[in-house]
Amino acid sequence: MLWLAALAGPAGGFLADRTKRPQTVLVGGCIVFALLMLILPRSGAVLLTVVALGLASAPPSGPIMSLPPQVLQPSTRAIGMGLFYTVFYAAMMLGPFAGGSLAKWTGTAATAFDFGAAMVLLCPLLLWTFNRIAAARTHTA
């Protein structure tokens, strides 16, 4: 999965740049990724699903990482990106712990995948919130 994601990440960035619709790539990729995470523990086609997960997981990464610089001023960009990556890596540390704890509590690994899918589906909602805040900032500036 990781090797496919390493190839799919730049492909997603290329697609986002070519279509000039990075947020569509971001939202579409998150939805497909979440659906595949829900399918994986419930399907017998594990290899095919993991291959699809590898291809679907990475395309949103470029558009996601391009969001903070769009709203940060050059004078605050270093601090803003530092905070962004601090929150990002804290979530990357706490997410698997939470998913694993839920799986242990329910007694099935499917719960961890369901939790991960729910977290990925939060991305479009957070993007909508980000866009509203960014739009409000430009109207007041």
Side-chain angles (χ1 to χ4, degrees), residues 37-97:
M37 287 180 65
L38 292 171
I39 291 169
L40 181 62
R42 295 164 178 88
S43 170
V46 175
L47 183 60
L48 182 61
T49 307
V50 170
V51 167
L53 272 167
L55 294 172
S57 64
S61 61
I64 286 173
M65 295 303 169
S66 72
L67 293 174
Q70 293 176 19
V71 295
L72 295 170
Q73 299 300 320
S75 61
T76 60
R77 194 164 291 151
I79 295 265
M81 291 303 290
L83 290 171
F84 171 77
Y85 278 108
T86 298
V87 171
F88 174 78
Y89 284 113
M92 290 297 106
M93 179 185 67
L94 296 174
F97 174 77

Side-chain angles (χ1 to χ4, degrees), residues 5-20:
L7 297 171
F14 179 77
L15 180 64
D17 284 345
R18 256 336 219 176
T19 62
K20 307 256 189 277

